[in-house]
Amino acid sequence: MLTNFLPLIGDALIETIVMVAVSGFVGALAGIPLGIVLFVTDKKSFLPMPVLNITLGTVINAMRSVPFIILLVAIIPFTRMVVGSSIGTAAAIVPLTLSVAPFIARMVETSLREVDKGLIEAAQSMGATHLQVVTKVLLPEAMPGIVAGLTISVISLIGYSAMAGAVGGGGLGDLGIRYGYQRFNPEVMWTVVLVLIVLVQGLQSLGDRIVRKLSHK
């Protein structure tokens, strides 16, 4: 009986990968610059802007404090305006991106804080501009931590994408709820769980491998 659902499981896996990949990529494009701004504008950093830092930090903290399932429902009008629908894979990407971007921002900020301040001071003493300090010192030194943070963020997205299935978001979560739970097919439910576990383990192993290579450099 389970073999009848294998094509559906394959399609759902592809939908999940698309949701996580797109939202993770867009979230990183927004979150990494936000994390850099949070770090460099801190009052103890080299480009202090307290008002901007506090305002941006407050907005990011507010977004992070909203549970994903509530965010998913609360921004349905915005999601519908952006993609033209409130259900499906494309619709799930919007709340997924909004949920992961502030998380990545804080991860990046934390990684940058771990960079030896002596390296920053040495670069400044040699006449490096603020942009050069960020691109030539901060980001290369913090890259292992940033990659580790991105790995955690992507794995969190997998869980969020499964949660999005509760409101018709598509992917493995949607399949598990509709065919596993609502139609009383525990084989489908446990297969979905197993696929999610394998996916998470694979991503974590890949992230750890990249971090080790970057650390050796």
Side-chain angles (χ1 to χ4, degrees):
M1 183 176 179
L2 181 60
T3 55
N4 296 332
F5 291 97
L6 290 180
L8 290 176
I9 293 173
D11 292 340
L13 175 60
I14 293 173
E15 289 178 353
T16 295
I17 292 174
V18 169
M19 282 191 290
V20 171
V22 174
S23 58
F25 178 73
V26 178
L29 286 181
I32 292 175
L34 285 175
I36 295 172
V37 172
L38 280 173
F39 174 78
V40 301
T41 59
D42 185 79
K43 62 181 180 180
K44 295 182 179 180
S45 191
F46 56 86
L47 193 61
M49 297 182 185
V51 175
L52 174 61
N53 186 270
I54 293 173
T55 302
L56 186 58
T58 300
V59 172
I60 288 175
N61 289 339
M63 293 182 66
R64 290 178 63 207
S65 65
V66 180
F68 177 72
I69 193 66
I70 295 178
L71 176 67
L72 187 66
V73 176
I75 67 167
I76 283 178
F78 176 72
T79 300
R80 189 179 293 116
M81 181 180 67
V82 173
V83 299
S85 174
S86 60
I87 61 174
T89 303
I93 289 173
V94 177
L96 285 172
T97 301
L98 291 178
S99 68
V100 79
F103 187 74
I104 291 175
R106 285 300 186 187
M107 285 282 193
V108 171
E109 181 193 18
T110 301
S111 298
L112 294 176
R113 289 183 183 278
E114 295 176 357
V115 176
D116 187 356
K117 289 182 172 57
L119 295 175
I120 300 174
E121 294 171 356
Q124 290 176 316
S125 67
M126 290 187 290
T129 64
H130 295 322
L131 181 60
Q132 289 173 329
V133 170
V134 171
T135 58
K136 303 296 184 181
V137 178
L138 285 174
L139 289 179
E141 291 295 323
M143 193 55 65
I146 292 175
V147 172
L150 289 175
T151 302
I152 295 172
S153 301
V154 171
I155 289 174
S156 297
L157 278 177
I158 294 175
Y160 290 160
S161 71
M163 197 183 304
V167 292
L172 290 168
D174 182 47
L175 179 69
I177 291 172
R178 285 195 294 119
Y179 290 93
Y181 176 72
Q182 295 177 349
R183 301 188 185 184
F184 305 102
N185 287 316
E187 297 90 352
V188 175
M189 178 70 77
W190 287 111
T191 301
V192 167
V193 172
L194 179 61
V195 172
L196 288 171
I197 291 174
V198 172
L199 186 58
V200 168
Q201 290 290 340
L203 285 172
Q204 186 65 62
S205 298
L206 177 61
D208 290 344
R209 187 175 296 110
I210 295 174
V211 169
R212 284 195 295 268
K213 288 184 178 181
L214 291 173
S215 298
H216 291 158
K217 290 180 180 180

